[in-house]
Amino acid sequence: MIKVANLHHSYSNDNNYSVEDISFEVKKGEIFGFLGPSGAGKSTTQKILIGLLPLQKGNVNIEGHDIRKPREELFNLIGVSFEHPNVYKKLSGLENLEFYSKMFRAKTVDPLKLLRMVGLENAAKKKAGGYSKGMLQRLVFARSMINNPKIWFLDEPTSGLDPSTASEIKKIIKEKNNEGTTIFLTTHNMYIAEELCDRIALINEGKIELIDSPRNLKLKYGEKLVKVEYREKDRLKRESFSMISDKDKKNLNNLINAGKIETMHSQEATLEEIFIKLTGRGLK
């Protein structure tokens, strides 16, 4: 569906690369996450894939289309939700979607239906200039679905949203994916990546560190721990035991056999902990 080979990009047109020699493939029907801190090269890569930045070096093929020579057909297939809302502030939310729908030579979705999906139905006729930051984010997200894209590029789709609204946005993403939409998701939010993505690429300083499923990454790089609460002399104690250390396993078994344990939970490493372990920096 998406094939990227030896991609490079330099904003200064020299050997100072923002994206350096990265390669990956996105399979049809999967949610592929691009996970990394701000400035790692996530948005640069996405902008090249959608044609906002020129392809300087390397190869990019999207659904059989060479991005060096994109045809109109390609842009009818893709939808893009940007992190920073770019809408016409003097038009209403509904007018923004109606205007945008006219840019496609493909069947489009009813704008009111999309506004209803993201909770903006009551603000449909309100000028976008009066929208809050979260409302603008939802409007851009709704706009990205106007052509019912087969390939959907999402850049920080839940950024700035309250937990309830973010949950609804994630629900829509899952529904679209279940309908067969291929999704390229760029984010520094480890939780949304872990919840939504089939596979993720960890990118740092313009280079891909590794690509795998969240589960495989946690199994491979995360320390396997069991966190327990137990009673000792009427005092509640909390302790974590490694499932690799023979000593810890023996001590845990002693607690189990003594019947002292009140709660016990397996504890996995988070994607951020894995990223820090591999790169020495966080995802902020």
Side-chain angles (χ1 to χ4, degrees):
M1 180 63 76
I2 300 176
K3 294 183 179 180
V4 175
N6 309 114
L7 183 66
H8 295 69
H9 189 84
S10 170
Y11 286 99
S12 50
N13 292 311
D14 53 22
N15 290 329
N16 183 23
Y17 292 112
S18 297
V19 172
E20 184 175 0
D21 197 27
I22 66 172
S23 301
F24 61 89
E25 292 190 17
V26 181
K27 302 173 185 177
K28 185 176 182 180
E30 81 170 331
I31 301 180
F32 185 86
F34 228 46
L35 183 63
S38 298
K42 304 186 305 298
S43 294
T44 297
T45 302
Q46 176 172 287
K47 287 176 181 177
I48 295 170
L49 297 185
I50 63 177
L52 286 182
L53 284 176
L55 178 59
Q56 296 176 345
K57 185 178 179 182
N59 295 290
V60 176
N61 189 286
I62 301 177
E63 190 67 351
H65 297 266
D66 186 341
I67 200 64
R68 291 184 189 275
K69 301 175 182 178
R71 301 193 301 272
E72 183 181 20
E73 179 187 350
L74 171 62
F75 298 105
N76 286 320
L77 294 176
I78 68 174
V80 184
S81 179
F82 298 94
E83 178 183 7
H84 303 292
N86 52 347
V87 302
Y88 294 104
K89 298 291 183 69
K90 293 185 179 181
L91 298 181
S92 69
L94 179 60
E95 289 169 338
N96 265 278
L97 296 193
E98 289 175 337
F99 177 80
Y100 193 67
S101 68
K102 296 174 182 177
M103 297 182 180
F104 295 95
R105 294 182 184 274
K107 186 177 180 180
T108 55
V109 183
D110 178 8
L112 275 176
K113 177 183 178 181
L114 294 176
L115 292 173
R116 193 178 303 118
M117 285 174 64
V118 298
L120 290 177
E121 183 180 14
N122 293 334
K125 296 185 179 180
K126 180 179 179 180
K127 287 188 178 181
Y131 280 18
S132 67
K133 181 180 178 181
M135 293 170 72
L136 288 171
Q137 190 72 25
R138 284 181 278 161
L139 180 60
V140 170
F141 182 79
R143 188 184 64 187
S144 71
M145 296 185 282
I146 196 76
N147 59 321
N148 198 24
K150 290 185 178 179
I151 307 171
W152 199 12
F153 293 91
L154 303 176
D155 191 356
E156 303 289 1
T158 62
S159 176
L161 300 180
D162 63 84
S164 177
T165 304
S167 179
E168 288 301 314
I169 294 300
K170 288 185 286 186
K171 181 180 177 182
I172 293 171
I173 294 172
K174 291 176 183 177
E175 288 174 350
K176 288 296 180 183
N177 181 243
N178 288 336
E179 292 171 4
T181 304
T182 302
I183 299 170
F184 185 88
L185 171 69
T186 62
T187 185
H188 69 266
N189 187 322
M190 60 182 173
Y191 299 108
I192 188 173
E194 187 169 347
E195 182 177 352
L196 295 178
C197 297
D198 299 300
R199 291 188 302 140
I200 61 171
L202 296 181
I203 183 169
N204 182 47
E205 297 181 348
K207 297 181 180 180
I208 292 179
E209 300 288 345
L210 49 80
I211 299 174
D212 210 332
S213 69
R215 183 178 186 275
N216 286 346
L217 289 175
K218 289 190 292 183
L219 288 175
K220 184 175 182 180
Y221 294 98
E223 186 177 1
K224 299 175 183 178
L225 301 173
V226 172
K227 188 175 183 180
V228 301
E229 292 183 335
Y230 62 95
R231 289 282 174 183
E232 189 170 277
K233 296 180 180 179
D234 295 325
R235 292 181 60 188
L236 183 65
K237 290 190 174 183
R238 297 178 178 87
E239 194 170 349
S240 293
F241 296 89
S242 169
M243 290 294 94
I244 298 174
S245 165
D246 289 336
K247 180 180 178 181
D248 275 14
K249 286 190 286 186
K250 181 179 179 180
N251 291 337
L252 177 60
N253 282 328
N254 290 337
L255 287 175
I256 293 172
N257 293 333
K260 295 181 178 181
I261 293 178
E262 294 189 355
T263 66
M264 182 166 61
H265 303 280
S266 61
Q267 186 170 307
E268 301 172 322
T270 66
L271 292 180
E272 181 159 18
E273 289 170 338
I274 293 170
F275 192 88
I276 292 171
K277 183 176 182 179
L278 293 173
T279 67
R281 64 181 297 194
L283 288 169
K284 301 301 182 184

